[in-house]
Amino acid sequence: MSSETPVVVQMEDICKRFGAVQANNHITISVRQGTIHAIVGENGAGKTTLMNILYGVFPPDSGTVYLYAQPVRFRSPAEALQAGMGMVSQHYALIPRLSVLENLMLSGEGASFSRLPRSQVRARAEELAKVIGLQADWDAPAGSLSVSQQQKVEILKLLLRDARVLIFDEPTAVLPPADAEAFFALLHRFAEEGRTVLLVTHKLQEVLEHADEVTVLRAGEVVATMPVREKPGAPPQVDARTLARLIVGEEGVLPEEEMLPGRRLGDQPRLRVEGLIVPPVRSRAGLKGVSFEVYPGEVFGIAGVDGSGQAELIDALMGLTSPTQGHIWLDGEDITHAPPAARLHKGVRYIAEDRHLRGAIVEWSVAENAALGLQREGRFGSRFSLSFTRMKEFAERIIHRFAVRAPAADAPFAALSGGNQQKVVVGRALMETPALLIAGQPTRGLDAASTRAVHHAIREACGQGACALVVSFDLDELLTLCDRVGVLFDGRMVDVVEGERKRREEIGALMVGAVKGGGA
Ligand SMILES: Nc1ncnc2c1ncn2[C@@H]1O[C@H](COP(=O)(O)OP(=O)(O)OP(=O)(O)O)[C@@H](O)[C@H]1O
Ligand SMILES: [Mg+2]
């Protein structure tokens, strides 16, 4: 990009404070037309705050936003939309009871396509959906979609609007790699068309592969802003180490994460799943006879392309769905049809892939969320009078152990940055050694240090006798964290790899059904 390329978005000297937290501290950033501008920084660095200001979610305390060199002061996202901007937020805003199509129609409020007949919106949506690899059932309630499908619907909402400036806040945090690739191909196309993209991400590889420029935030301030490449398609001029160093400061850089060796702590499986069948519903594969065991001390990974049965497996293990055939044993006891509360009581803990729908109640405090689901255990007082002090103490322990950036344990959960919310959800599941940890995308939206901390916490729990089941789209995560990896394909566990066979290529091939089959 030459310096003549017009600046589309200019944010100048932006400050925003929440109570004692200076979320944005004199931030200045310029984004040129037709570029992909990445914004990186630790959890709580101020990325989402800055994007919210740009999109008119709330005003800055001071500073000015310019769009095409004109000062603008959006009083709401609706006004930003009118001005040709669009944003996919870190937390989704789909209305769960409405169908996918209805959600799309609704999102067009004020945009040109909202006046189009339903059939036309649908045709256009179908066309775009193909590009981003969304096989949507347009009439399914949005709440029935997996998190990655919801993410794609959110992206679709934005695409339908035909925006000139597109803001994405961690769009690929829960996208399977193949979908992320398709998404980036689309971003490049947009950039070529002269649209401007702001991309918040924790994945430095994405910055190196796709961004034209990058701005690094640390503790609310810009510590660097620089070109990533000379022109689109050219090789990157910066490397991951340099970025990592800028993100955390010189002292904070971590060495490469090592494979954490696990050890079976007994020869009786803690979790045994046998011949599990869950009928397919809509776009879900269901489970077609899944069997495996997880031993104490062991982390068992689940790989698979989106919709291969991961959600059904988690639901069945948590007691959120009833299998039509097969069995689940925990420590030798048949829990196939036990209600969720009984499983919690037996030490089953859950990190939900969708922290907002299932993992937390954002209107509540951090302390109440820390205690969520555990209140029946009696540790926070009786069912009828919960001790807020005890919940607060528990939350404070989580905050301390997982370095959660929260103003206080009684602060609203919604006041935490996305990654810090995730740390609370993870902490709740791991503060006491569970019998079985079920983790869906446990490091979603976490920065490098927090990802590391969560991996260690899972390992530590297993070292104390827990067993863990980790579902992740991130193969590197599965390879580093898990002792064995089961691969789901179309509702079947086609293979379980360990030792020498636990390699990226092997798992990748199994995921698309290229080898073996039948298996367990
Ligand atoms: N509504 C709010 N009320 C109080 N504090 C807030 C609010 N929104 C954000 N903050 C605080 O501002 C700081 C920056 O948060 P922000 O969400 O911008 O971080 P982020 O860089 O997007 O982090 P993440 O990578 O975890 O999403 C955090 O300390 C957060 O707790
Ligand atoms: Mg954020």
Side-chain angles (χ1 to χ4, degrees):
M1 291 99 287
S2 73
S3 49
E4 285 98 73
T5 321
V7 170
V8 172
V9 172
Q10 167 86 9
M11 299 181 82
E12 216 167 84
D13 210 22
I14 300 291
C15 290
K16 181 76 188 181
R17 170 182 283 280
F18 296 106
V21 179
Q22 191 70 48
N24 285 174
N25 199 7
H26 299 283
I27 291 184
T28 293
I29 168 175
S30 336
V31 184
R32 296 181 182 282
Q33 179 163 17
T35 62
I36 299 176
H37 192 117
I39 295 169
V40 298
E42 287 179 290
N43 292 132
K47 306 176 296 291
T48 298
T49 303
L50 190 68
M51 296 304 103
N52 280 338
I53 290 170
L54 178 58
Y55 195 51
V57 176
F58 43 65
D61 297 336
S62 60
T64 316
V65 178
Y66 298 87
L67 193 61
Y68 296 99
Q70 296 300 312
V72 289
R73 215 180 155 81
F74 302 132
R75 279 163 302 179
S76 67
E79 289 188 8
L81 269 172
Q82 287 293 335
M85 308 191 50
M87 169 147 123
V88 174
S89 301
Q90 189 168 7
H91 298 115
Y92 319 134
L94 297 178
I95 300 170
R97 281 157 175 280
L98 295 185
S99 74
V100 174
L101 191 65
E102 283 160 344
N103 267 286
L104 290 175
M105 305 275 306
L106 206 67
S107 72
E109 211 82 49
S112 57
F113 79 84
S114 66
R115 289 183 289 276
L116 295 176
R118 214 178 151 92
S119 60
Q120 268 187 42
V121 174
R122 185 172 172 144
R124 175 116 178 79
E126 267 168 4
E127 191 186 315
L128 288 165
K130 256 191 232 136
V131 182
I132 55 167
L134 173 68
Q135 288 162 336
D137 176 347
W138 303 105
D139 304 314
S144 72
L145 302 183
S146 73
V147 180
S148 65
Q149 286 171 323
Q150 288 180 41
Q151 175 74 78
K152 288 185 244 175
V153 173
E154 286 290 352
I155 293 171
L156 203 60
K157 262 165 69 175
L158 202 164
L159 302 186
L160 277 166
R161 277 180 193 140
D162 203 26
R164 291 180 296 171
V165 178
L166 304 103
I167 308 166
F168 295 96
D169 196 349
E170 297 188 34
T172 61
V174 289
L175 283 194
D179 294 327
E181 280 305 310
F183 169 73
F184 279 110
L186 200 67
L187 284 198
H188 287 296
R189 213 170 80 195
F190 284 152
E192 276 162 32
E193 290 169 6
R195 296 175 210 255
T196 305
V197 177
L198 285 101
L199 170 75
V200 175
T201 182
H202 286 291
K203 301 182 180 174
L204 300 185
Q205 213 45 46
E206 294 181 351
V207 177
L208 298 178
E209 277 173 36
H210 302 291
D212 300 299
E213 291 188 53
V214 61
T215 294
V216 183
L217 300 185
R218 196 194 309 153
E221 294 179 19
V222 175
V223 290
T225 183
M226 57 190 170
V228 177
R229 49 178 41 81
E230 223 161 86
K231 56 176 200 297
Q237 307 163 326
V238 279
D239 57 40
R241 274 189 76 83
T242 311
L243 282 181
R245 209 170 289 146
L246 287 166
I247 288 170
V248 294
E250 202 59 51
E251 321 74 48
V253 184
L254 295 163
E256 188 101 344
E257 186 169 5
E258 283 169 26
M259 162 66 198
L260 306 157
R263 198 159 64 90
R264 276 191 197 181
L265 299 173
D267 49 12
Q268 291 300 314
R270 291 206 82 164
L271 173 69
R272 190 148 81 84
V273 173
E274 204 177 277
L276 214 58
I277 296 188
V278 172
V281 186
R282 294 184 179 270
S283 57
R284 297 185 163 205
L287 297 177
K288 298 167 181 161
V290 166
S291 308
F292 62 95
E293 292 99 50
V294 190
Y295 292 83
E298 205 182 27
V299 185
F300 189 88
I302 298 283
V305 296
D306 195 15
S308 300
Q310 298 95 324
E312 295 87 322
L313 180 60
I314 287 182
D315 284 0
L317 290 172
M318 280 308 298
L320 300 168
T321 186
S322 223
T324 49
Q325 274 185 57
H327 291 276
I328 302 168
W329 284 277
L330 182 68
D331 293 326
E333 193 180 334
D334 190 332
I335 58 160
T336 318
H337 300 287
R343 298 179 200 219
L344 274 168
H345 190 68
K346 292 185 200 311
V348 179
R349 292 291 178 270
Y350 178 35
I351 300 170
E353 63 165 353
D354 186 331
R355 61 177 166 256
H356 277 188
L357 223 53
R358 282 182 171 179
I361 298 172
V362 288
E363 294 80 12
W364 289 8
S365 67
V366 175
E368 286 159 316
N369 275 288
L372 198 66
L374 305 176
Q375 70 275 19
R376 287 182 218 212
E377 302 295 294
R379 87 185 69 179
F380 305 116
S382 80
R383 243 178 97 182
F384 304 102
S385 86
L386 291 171
S387 157
F388 190 71
T389 315
R390 276 196 238 169
M391 289 196 264
K392 237 176 94 174
E393 279 165 12
F394 184 63
E396 274 157 5
R397 281 172 48 214
I398 295 179
I399 289 171
H400 180 73
R401 172 155 176 217
F402 288 89
V404 179
R405 270 209 216 171
D410 50 11
F413 194 70
L416 267 54
S417 80
N420 284 294
Q421 294 181 355
Q422 180 70 11
K423 290 196 240 176
V424 173
V425 171
V426 170
R428 177 176 65 204
L430 284 172
M431 279 315 277
E432 280 136 21
T433 307
L436 163 66
L437 173 74
I438 301 165
Q441 320 288 346
T443 56
R444 168 183 184 186
L446 293 186
D447 61 29
S450 305
T451 297
R452 188 78 56 101
V454 169
H455 287 169
H456 276 277
I458 293 176
R459 268 290 166 210
E460 205 178 312
C462 289
Q464 288 161 1
C467 71
L469 183 103
V470 175
V471 179
S472 176
F473 288 134
D474 183 346
L475 278 189
D476 290 328
E477 169 159 68
L478 293 178
L479 292 171
T480 354
L481 183 60
C482 304
D483 304 300
R484 292 186 295 145
V485 179
V487 184
L488 282 178
F489 176 70
D490 192 27
R492 291 190 172 85
M493 192 164 292
V494 289
D495 209 342
V496 177
V497 299
E498 60 185 309
E500 286 286 288
R501 291 187 58 222
K502 209 183 77 183
R503 283 179 302 119
R504 175 174 265 286
E505 304 71 37
E506 180 98 18
I507 296 175
L510 289 164
M511 278 169 58
V512 292
V515 254
K516 283 242 182 170

